[in-house]
Amino acid sequence: MSTSKTKDKYQIAVVPGDGIGQEVMKATIDVLDSLDIDFEYVYGEAGDECLEKNGTALPDETLDIIRQSDACLFGAAGETAADVIVKIRQEMKMFANLRPVKAYPHTNSLSDEIDFMIVRENTEGMYIADEEKYTDEGAIARRIITREAERRIIDYAFKYAVENNKSKVTAVHKANVLKKTDGLFKEIFYKVAENYPDIATEDFYVDATAMYLITQPESFEVIVTTNLFGDILSDEGAGLVGGLGLIPSANIGLDGALFEPVHGSAPDIAGKGIANPIAMMLSAVMMLRYLGENDAADKFDAAILKLLNDANTLTGDLGGNASTMDVAGEVIKNINGE
């Protein structure tokens, strides 16, 4: 998922959004500024507060900033999430959503051996929100699955496996019930798999996968699935490794990429300075790898791991009493070898 480094300076679109998005973004930017990389941050508005202020949750100016930047860091959106992050993905044709699920120390992980990637199709399925108006009988939503989009995301999952020394890709679907749409997904999966003879393959129904993530999470390496299923399974994955405060994500397209924590805006704790910024920070690590800044990514990642190993500066969700900015300060100290 990375590019080769070609620039001495990067323009980064920064969209903090709502609630704790603003707090975890500030903590993450502080850490990025401690690295030996030249970033130019261009800030954009989006989310609930933006809607209240400007009459739109996603101004054209923000989309333009994202289009013109080398990458985007996004914090969180509240009730307007569908009008913001889903629209950005669609407008920017960010077809691949990557959500790593990895066990870290002192995080109440179900198993220390959990380390897999969920590769989620990002542009179609149920999340196109193609819903008909309410009728006397109820409501109807259309689920769109196309050969082009599913072939693209499945091929991306196999390439990810090859590039990251993974030996198996698991397809997740519900083809026994959704025989046309998920039947097509399963058919394409095994067709694409023929191009990767060294990668083992398997497929499970989504409900069975939900169980296997609890009973045998160590057996997964790369999961590829459709939009809605990927969203649900990644939240379950967060529960396996200590919560949403530890799950980053990347949205990758042909012309851009956006990196965001999986957690939402958490209005119940917003403004208190106690939000866990690690998911946002790990999202920034993914951004650095995308930009080809692998040495900086390794340094940032190692600093987070040291913080979790030491377990002296943890936020409340991990059993500590540190603030959001306490975590940022400790990660910076670790980067600087203090």
Side-chain angles (χ1 to χ4, degrees), residues 72-103:
C72 175
L73 285 174
F74 184 88
E79 295 299 319
T80 55
D83 298 319
V84 177
I85 192 62
V86 174
K87 185 175 180 181
I88 292 172
R89 292 168 181 163
Q90 292 174 342
E91 289 285 329
M92 296 292 294
K93 297 180 172 58
M94 295 175 177
F95 64 89
N97 184 215
L98 305 182
R99 296 190 170 187
V101 178
K102 182 178 179 179

Side-chain angles (χ1 to χ4, degrees), residues 164-223:
N164 292 274
N165 298 313
K166 303 293 186 180
S167 61
K168 182 175 65 174
V169 177
T170 305
V172 176
H173 56 82
K174 192 63 177 170
N176 58 331
V177 176
L178 302 171
K179 295 182 179 180
K180 289 186 172 62
T181 51
D182 271 9
L184 180 62
F185 175 83
K186 180 179 176 180
E187 172 192 323
I188 294 171
F189 174 75
Y190 282 108
K191 186 67 175 175
V192 171
E194 293 175 5
N195 299 322
Y196 299 89
D198 295 331
I199 302 294
T201 57
E202 63 185 8
D203 70 280
F204 298 129
Y205 299 139
V206 64
D207 45 346
T209 305
M211 179 185 68
Y212 295 148
L213 285 179
I214 302 296
T215 59
Q216 53 187 58
E218 309 92 341
S219 70
F220 293 101
E221 296 187 44
V222 179
I223 292 173

Side-chain angles (χ1 to χ4, degrees), residues 125-283:
M126 293 298 296
Y127 278 24
I128 60 170
D130 185 2
E131 295 183 303
E132 296 185 10
K133 294 180 179 179
Y134 286 112
T135 67
D136 291 339
E137 290 77 24
I140 299 171
R142 298 174 70 229
R143 183 175 193 258
I144 304 297
I145 299 293
T146 67
R147 291 183 183 277
E148 179 183 6
E150 302 310 322
R151 185 178 294 111
R152 181 174 58 190
I153 195 64
I154 291 166
D155 188 64
Y156 190 97
F158 277 99
K159 285 179 179 175
Y160 177 89
V162 171
E163 292 172 2
N164 292 274
N165 298 313
K166 303 293 186 180
S167 61
K168 182 175 65 174
V169 177
T170 305
V172 176
H173 56 82
K174 192 63 177 170
N176 58 331
V177 176
L178 302 171
K179 295 182 179 180
K180 289 186 172 62
T181 51
D182 271 9
L184 180 62
F185 175 83
K186 180 179 176 180
E187 172 192 323
I188 294 171
F189 174 75
Y190 282 108
K191 186 67 175 175
V192 171
E194 293 175 5
N195 299 322
Y196 299 89
D198 295 331
I199 302 294
T201 57
E202 63 185 8
D203 70 280
F204 298 129
Y205 299 139
V206 64
D207 45 346
T209 305
M211 179 185 68
Y212 295 148
L213 285 179
I214 302 296
T215 59
Q216 53 187 58
E218 309 92 341
S219 70
F220 293 101
E221 296 187 44
V222 179
I223 292 173
V224 63
T225 189
T226 53
N227 208 330
L228 176 62
F229 295 161
D231 193 14
I232 295 169
L233 291 177
S234 59
D235 274 24
E236 183 186 6
L240 302 178
V241 295
L244 289 170
L246 296 166
I247 303 293
S249 75
N251 299 274
I252 309 294
L254 298 177
D255 301 314
L258 178 148
F259 302 85
E260 59 170 332
V262 172
H263 64 66
S265 61
D268 56 322
I269 62 169
K272 297 181 180 179
I274 60 173
N276 186 348
I278 290 178
M280 185 77 248
M281 291 181 180
L282 289 171
S283 298

